[in-house]
Amino acid sequence: MENGVQELLQMLSNMISEARGIPLSGDKCIIERDKALDLIDEIKAQLPNEISEAKRLVTARNEFIGNAKREAESIRKVAEERARQLVNEEEIVKMAKVESANLVNNAEAKSNELRRIANEYAEEVLRRTEESIGIALNEVRQSRSRFVAASQQPVKETVEETSIFEEIEDLD
């Protein structure tokens, strides 16, 4: 018989449960000794195969569990490393944002300072230009006043002045 151990045990159990009981003996029964012994021998013959198969399955299961644990540990380590990298990247981004804000603030401060200096310089140049124009305007007014005064003098004096000017030019 090529039956599995479970099936053989079931057959033995059925044989015993279907056996005729002995009168006045309680739980005792009559079974066919040869059939029962044959089933027991076949069970004994198949038990080493069943046990070795069970051992092989247990070993394979243990190996599978070990591989799964190693893989899970590897995945956990990779996840932890990635989490550390993300935290580091987040810190780098935060630091970059702070540095960027500092650079923008410094640039704005320098821009404001340069604008202030440029305004002061422009104000100074305009003030000097205004002074120069004021001085030139005063000189024009004085020249005009002299011209008006000279034009109101008699012609004789003007002719004498003109000849004096011509003599001075000749000397040059």
Side-chain angles (χ1 to χ4, degrees):
M1 290 183 178
E2 287 289 326
N3 296 323
V5 172
Q6 290 290 349
E7 192 175 323
L8 293 171
L9 287 172
Q10 185 62 45
M11 289 170 65
L12 182 60
S13 175
N14 289 343
M15 181 187 294
I16 293 170
S17 61
E18 292 171 2
R20 281 187 277 142
I22 299 176
L24 303 172
S25 64
D27 287 339
K28 294 183 182 179
C29 65
I30 298 173
I31 61 170
E32 292 181 42
R33 183 181 306 188
D34 290 339
K35 280 187 176 181
L37 289 174
D38 285 344
L39 284 173
I40 291 172
D41 286 341
E42 196 165 333
I43 290 171
K44 284 180 183 177
Q46 289 203 11
L47 266 179
N49 291 338
E50 294 280 331
I51 290 173
S52 65
E53 180 65 18
K55 284 181 181 178
R56 188 188 66 73
L57 288 174
V58 167
T59 301
R61 182 196 66 136
N62 289 341
E63 189 175 307
F64 179 79
I65 289 172
N67 288 339
K69 283 181 180 179
R70 282 189 293 278
E71 187 174 343
E73 181 64 19
S74 175
I75 290 170
R76 185 189 61 79
K77 285 181 180 178
V78 167
E80 285 177 352
E81 180 60 30
R82 183 64 181 137
R84 273 193 290 280
Q85 287 174 347
L86 290 174
V87 167
N88 288 341
E89 288 173 6
E90 187 176 319
E91 288 300 317
I92 289 170
V93 168
K94 284 180 186 176
M95 290 171 46
K97 284 181 179 178
V98 167
E99 183 64 23
S100 173
N102 288 339
L103 289 173
V104 167
N105 289 339
N106 289 342
E108 286 176 354
K110 286 182 181 181
S111 173
N112 289 338
E113 179 65 15
L114 289 173
R115 190 177 299 128
R116 184 189 61 76
I117 290 171
N119 286 343
E120 288 175 359
Y121 176 76
E123 182 64 30
E124 179 63 21
V125 166
L126 290 173
R127 187 189 58 75
R128 286 190 209 156
T129 302
E130 186 179 12
E131 284 178 4
S132 296
I133 291 172
I135 291 170
L137 182 60
N138 283 339
E139 289 177 5
V140 167
R141 284 183 182 149
Q142 289 173 0
S143 294
R144 182 173 173 229
S145 294
R146 283 193 302 261
F147 176 76
V148 169
S151 66
Q152 291 175 354
Q153 289 180 357
V155 175
K156 185 178 182 187
E157 290 178 13
T158 304
V159 172
E160 289 176 5
E161 285 180 7
T162 303
S163 60
I164 291 175
F165 285 127
E166 288 174 355
E167 289 177 18
I168 292 174
E169 285 180 3
D170 289 338
L171 292 175
D172 286 336

